[in-house]
Each structure stands twice: as C-alpha cells, then as structure tokens.
Amino acid sequence: MFPFQTVETLAGWWVVLIASVRDVQTMVDVDENPFDEKDSIFEQKQPLKKDTFTPETIFHRDDEIELYINALQDVVVGHAPNNVFVYGPTGVGKTAVTKWVRDKLQEKADSQDVPLTVLGPINCRNYKSSYALVTSLVNEFRSPDNQLPDSGYSTDRVFEFLYEEIEAVGGNVLIILDEIDNIPPDARNDFLYELPRAEANENTPISEAKIGLIGISNDLKFVDVLEPKVKSTLGEREIKFGPYNANELHDILEYYADIAFWDGVLEDDIVPLAAAFSAQERGDVRQGLRILEKAGEYARMEDANTVTEEHTRRATDTIEKDEILDYFEQDLSSQQALTYLATTLAFIEPKHEAATKRIYNLYSSIAESSGRRVKSERKIYEFLDQLSMQGLVRSAEKNLGRKGGRKYVYEVTDDPADIIDAALQSSYSNAVPSNVNEILNHYLEDEATDFEPPDESSEEQQVLWRFV
C-alpha cells in the first residue's frame, strides 16, 4: 500500500499523492548551503570552451601554418601584405592558427622595426549591416572617448573615416575578418575588393599605408559566388583547412583534457570515444570538447569519482541535439536556416521526394508565413550547396529515364525529429507548420497515410502543411 491517507475517488487519490510528493520535495534544510567548495571533476573548465582559450600548442596544422607564413612573409621584409582567404568547416583550427600566426607576425615585425598594425579577428556575424561593421573597424583605431556612434552618418562617410584612420596609422595594416560569408551581399564588393585596393584608389586619402586583408569563412563555396574581380583580389593566397581524423582529434582532445580535468578522473577510453564520435560526425574539435565537458558534468551531478563511458555516451546524445539548435541560432544565416528546415519538411513528407523544386516551394511557404524575405529559386541551389558543405544535408542525383534529364534529391544527415525539435526551440519556431508533429509521426512510424502529395505542376502550394 502507498503511505498516503485513504481516499474515496481516483481523482482524490491523485490529489493526495501529488500533495504528498510536493511535501517530500520541499523538505530542504534552508540553512545548509548546497554548493560544493571544490570541483572534484574539473580542475579548470576554460580550456573546454575553445573560443575563450588560447592553447600553447597547435596540433596537426603544420602545412597550413607553412602556407600562412609564406603568404605573410612579405610584410617582415618590407613588401606590401598579401590578401589571404582561409576556409574550412567549423572547429578545425582556422581561428586558432590565425591568432597564432598573427601574434608571431607582430612579434617579428616589432623586432625588425617594421610598422605593422593588426586588427582582429573581428567576427562579421556580430554585425547586421555594413555600416555597423565599418563603424566597429573605425572604433578599433580610435580611443574610447572618440568612438563613432551607431548611426548618424552615411555608409560612404564611415568608409572615409576608416581610410583616414588607416592613413593616420601608416605602414602595413592587416585586417582580419572572421566569418566573412556573413558580410551583407551588397557590401561585399566594398569590403573584399575596394578595401584591400584602397591605396591604389585616387578617391581615398590613402597614400602611405598598405592594406592586407585576411578573410576567414566556414563556407567552402563562398568564394565561388563572389564577383570575378572580388574573387581575384581576395584569393591571392588561399589556405584550406580540412577536418581532423580520429587520431588527430585524439591528440588534440587529450591535450585539452589533461589541462581541464583532475588527474585520474577520466577513464582510459573517454578521450578515444569522444575523438571517434567527433571524427565520425565532422572532424570538429569543438564537438569533442563539448562531449568531454558534458560527460564531466554528468559525472559531477552524480557525485561520481570518475567520468565513465556511460557518461560520455549520454553526452554525445545531448550534444547532437544542442548542436542542431546552435545551427539555427548561431551557425546558419537566416536563409540557410529556412532552407534547412524546408529540406527537413520535404524529407519527411509522405509519398514525396525532397527534390529541389519541392524544397523551394516549402521554403517559400515557411518564409512567407514567418514574415521573412523569399529569395529566388536560383539562390536555393546556393543555400543547399552551403548546407551540403557543412555536412547538414546530402544529395543524390537521379536520372529521369525516358523523360530525360536529371534531378537532385536531398536528405538531412541528422534525425528529422531532432531538427524539428530544435527549430521549435529556436527563433524560427514561427516558421514551423502547425501540424508538423502529425506528419512527423507518419514518417517515424512508417505507416500508410491519407495525405496526398502536392501537385508539382500547380503554381500554388497545395494544402499538406498548415502554415499559420
């Protein structure tokens, strides 16, 4: 029997049960402090938060560093700096290597009395307009009591301010822009073509200073969509960072784990397991660090003395879902995110393939229903290519047989249920159709459905999804 008072009705029993459980849950000694004095798992957590930690050792990037040194060697021997385009997926060392090379270059220039000013890396994702980005660059040169305001000038005038500051500094000026694919399209020409060539432009006040630009991008095909003249200027030197393999990730994660965890806390198979999972996914160091941090937190929550394989496997499941939410909130542009959601919806539709045309129809519907701008169908090909390069979707080419021609059919690489769940938790929740769970259940259960696929020949969206 349950240790609760007798009741006459089932509903009454539940009322008593709930009240009794509530009483048990509130039996806390309010005079006792619940916080531990010492962390028994982590010696220091900052190394696991890679963007805020500068390692003393860089692993498995010797070739990329050599290319970087060769591209920037001109600065220390008196020549004008080259423009460098650095690209590769997230978490493969682009920013860490760039910062290390930057510091070594500045150190060498100072010792040689070579005039050099380096700005950045400045993350373009943090600026929603070209005006905001240029203003931030101007303010990097200026003292705190002479900062440009957030508004009040034309963009052209703010660029003039920037050129004036560069000329006042003189010498070599190297500007490092991270995630340059987030520069607004209408400003890319100004930043990636006009800025590096400003000293050759008679309409700018620059005569003595020499400008070099380092552009970093997670989008491997970003340079392909640029105007030819911009591509030629930016691509004077290109450095590609590929994903790490499991052995390389093991070396890197072991380095960070030795710093972050107390001795003897990690079981022997934890780092290899985190490395193997990360290599299987995308070869991403950040993912491996997140797994280690989350596994350690699970162990700490249980007051365990060691981090076990079970903690690590639980962490990988959690990290996968958290990362999908990060795609929507941090990693993808708004148009990429809408395309990602549309591809997921097309993928789970009953009796229908996720072909490009269908994805575009869904993309248009969710963009309109959520009050966002609808891009052309041609742009969808670019967005899908970008998602494919990031490992979020993959495509298969299908021959149309007697009809002639070919088409591409897409699928998402993560669990559609996890993607939809993340979208519902994100700022794109208003773009998700109201009946998404109903159709998702048909997909998950692999059951016959009464839904009819939409007619691709119709100009209007057939009612399969309910957009609000």
Side-chain angles (χ1 to χ4, degrees), residues 7 16 34 46 54 62 76 94 120 143 158 210 260 264 308 313 323 345 362 376 379 385 412 415 428:
V7 291
V16 174
Q46 186 185 3
T54 302
D62 294 353
V76 297
K94 300 186 302 297
S143 61
V158 177
K210 300 184 183 301
T308 66
R313 293 195 180 278
E323 285 195 334
L345 298 179
L362 282 168
S376 67
K379 296 295 291 184
D385 275 347
V412 290
D415 188 333
Y428 298 91

Side-chain angles (χ1 to χ4, degrees), residues 33-52:
N33 195 309
F35 292 98
D36 295 327
E37 296 179 358
K38 182 181 178 181
D39 192 328
S40 61
I41 299 295
F42 298 102
E43 183 172 2
Q44 51 176 321
K45 289 186 74 175
Q46 186 185 3
L48 300 179
K49 303 180 186 299
K50 190 171 182 288
D51 290 340
T52 62

Side-chain angles (χ1 to χ4, degrees), residues 282-440:
R282 288 185 301 279
D284 181 348
V285 172
R286 292 178 188 173
Q287 186 178 49
L289 295 176
R290 288 177 181 175
I291 292 171
L292 292 177
E293 181 181 14
K294 183 63 71 174
E297 289 175 352
Y298 281 137
R300 189 173 62 183
M301 289 168 60
E302 296 176 2
D303 291 327
N305 295 321
T306 58
V307 180
T308 66
E309 178 181 339
E310 192 274 333
H311 294 137
T312 308
R313 293 195 180 278
R314 282 170 57 194
T316 59
D317 292 338
T318 304
I319 293 302
E320 282 187 280
K321 295 178 181 179
D322 289 346
E323 285 195 334
I324 296 173
L325 182 58
D326 284 347
Y327 298 152
F328 283 104
E329 295 299 303
Q330 299 178 26
D331 298 337
L332 300 178
S333 69
S334 61
Q335 293 297 323
Q336 289 172 338
L338 291 173
T339 305
Y340 186 37
L341 176 58
T343 305
T344 306
L345 298 179
F347 180 64
I348 65 172
E349 274 187 339
K351 301 179 181 179
H352 206 279
E353 293 180 323
T356 310
K357 183 177 180 61
R358 181 63 189 137
I359 292 171
Y360 180 72
N361 289 339
L362 282 168
Y363 155 83
S364 300
S365 295
I366 63 179
E368 289 176 358
S369 69
S370 61
R372 293 176 171 90
R373 183 180 177 185
V374 178
K375 297 283 190 175
S376 67
E377 185 170 352
R378 180 180 62 83
K379 296 295 291 184
I380 282 293
Y381 288 94
E382 292 181 15
F383 299 145
L384 287 169
D385 275 347
Q386 292 160 3
L387 294 173
S388 178
M389 294 306 297
Q390 295 183 61
L392 301 182
V393 305
R394 55 176 168 251
S395 63
E397 187 178 14
K398 298 191 70 173
N399 193 315
L400 297 180
R402 293 180 181 178
K403 295 181 180 179
R406 294 178 174 83
K407 69 176 179 179
Y408 287 93
V409 177
Y410 289 83
E411 62 180 22
V412 290
T413 57
D414 286 301
D415 188 333
D418 289 341
I419 298 172
I420 291 169
D421 183 58
L424 289 169
Q425 297 178 55
S426 75
S427 55
Y428 298 91
S429 58
N430 63 343
V432 181
S434 60
N435 64 330
V436 66
N437 288 325
E438 182 181 353
I439 295 180
L440 178 61

